[in-house]
Amino acid sequence: MPRTVLYCRVSTAEQTIESQLEQAKEAGFTVDQVIEDHGVSGVTTKLSERDGGKRLFDILREGDTLLVRWIDRLGRNYDDIQSNIRHFMDQGVTIKTVINGMTFDANPKDAMSKAIRDAILSFMAALAEANAVAAKEAQAAGIKRYKEQSEANPYRGRKPVYNEDEYNAALEMKAQGIGVNEIARRLGKSKHVISRLLANPEAAYASLQNWGMVHDPKRGRMTGFAKTTRIPLNVTAPNRRAK
């Protein structure tokens, strides 16, 4: 039996799968299945390289409908979007969008309908790539402007999820030959965080400095925290309070 599959991709905390599903329902669509990708950039990651995207290639069959908020969800650039849409339509899958209610029939009734469909798809794919590039350039320009406006308060990036004591403890444990997984367990951090810290400790410390989270030599304390805790290297509880 033909199905309507909604594909959702969210890359920020402000976006949610639930909101995209609700928008689809409000637009009058009946969704049989939802395939999703969380925390995935649509600009840098091809559809075929995303976990949810891979599933679309596996489950969609002739007669199915692939529903997306907008066609930019189906690739990272013009070529990727076009290639994926062509693939699905060649498999007999119709593409529909929540925004503007666009329909791209896998089996147009005549040559003229097919030509119009293909022309609109090409234009929309090009527009999606142009919008993505413009957004990326705007972000870069905003960061540059912020840096230029105040050298005393430079662009700091994302706030570290570790403090200076944890930073020092991680380096010391590495010097002792302790592996990343064990360091992460002892400090109560994710393996990803510890791996990035150890891969580039200079950048990790610079991030602490940018956020005022290093010891203030005049006050003898960390400026980013009210109190610090020395992390014993053989203790597994990372949130142990200093006595």
Side-chain angles (χ1 to χ4, degrees):
M1 179 180 296
R3 299 169 300 165
T4 295
V5 178
L6 172 65
Y7 173 67
C8 301
R9 174 185 59 78
V10 295
S11 57
T12 68
E14 288 75 22
Q15 302 173 346
T16 66
I17 300 297
E18 291 74 17
S19 65
Q20 293 188 35
L21 177 58
E22 187 62 29
Q23 289 173 354
K25 291 180 178 178
E26 289 177 354
F29 293 102
T30 299
V31 176
D32 300 304
Q33 185 175 356
V34 178
I35 302 296
E36 56 195 58
D37 274 311
H38 289 272
V40 178
S41 170
V43 177
T44 60
T45 309
K46 291 184 176 181
L47 181 67
S48 60
E49 295 174 353
R50 309 170 196 167
D51 291 339
K54 292 176 184 177
R55 290 193 63 198
L56 292 178
F57 290 93
D58 292 335
I59 69 171
L60 289 172
R61 298 289 183 268
E62 183 176 1
D64 288 344
T65 296
L66 174 57
L67 177 64
V68 290
R69 183 174 181 273
W70 191 240
I71 66 167
D72 63 350
R73 294 298 189 265
L74 295 178
R76 64 172 183 164
N77 55 32
Y78 176 87
D79 291 334
D80 192 32
I81 293 172
Q82 283 276 40
S83 174
N84 294 327
I85 290 179
R86 298 292 178 193
H87 170 83
F88 291 131
M89 290 196 301
D90 287 345
Q91 301 299 313
V93 177
T94 292
I95 313 291
K96 293 187 177 183
T97 68
V98 175
I99 296 177
N100 292 337
M102 304 291 289
T103 297
F104 301 99
D105 199 331
N107 299 298
K109 59 184 180 179
D110 52 45
M112 182 60 70
S113 297
K114 181 179 180 181
I116 293 174
R117 180 202 68 181
D118 292 347
I120 294 175
L121 271 174
S122 295
F123 172 76
M124 290 174 62
L127 182 62
E129 179 176 1
N131 287 340
V133 171
K136 188 174 182 179
E137 290 178 349
Q139 181 187 41
I143 292 173
K144 181 181 179 181
R145 190 184 312 113
Y146 186 81
K147 288 180 178 178
E148 293 173 347
Q149 285 177 346
S150 178
E151 294 182 359
N153 184 27
Y155 179 71
R156 299 183 294 180
R158 182 176 297 178
K159 186 174 182 179
V161 296
Y162 51 86
N163 60 34
E164 191 181 18
D165 285 341
E166 292 166 336
Y167 168 89
N168 291 330
L171 295 184
E172 190 171 348
M173 281 188 274
K174 179 185 179 183
Q176 294 177 5
I178 299 175
V180 171
N181 288 340
E182 181 61 16
I183 295 174
R185 186 183 69 82
R186 293 187 184 186
L187 296 181
K189 306 297 178 184
S190 72
K191 178 182 176 181
H192 177 69
V193 167
I194 298 302
S195 294
R196 290 189 61 183
L197 186 158
L198 296 178
N200 195 341
E202 294 81 9
Y205 191 76
S207 184
L208 288 172
Q209 289 180 312
N210 289 339
W211 280 92
M213 294 167 62
V214 298
H215 285 94
D216 184 341
K218 296 182 179 180
R219 300 183 181 181
R221 65 178 177 85
M222 293 181 73
T223 58
F225 293 85
K227 184 186 291 186
T228 62
T229 302
R230 177 60 182 167
I231 308 290
L233 302 188
N234 61 346
V235 174
T236 59
N239 296 322
R240 185 178 179 182
R241 295 184 179 178
K243 295 181 179 180

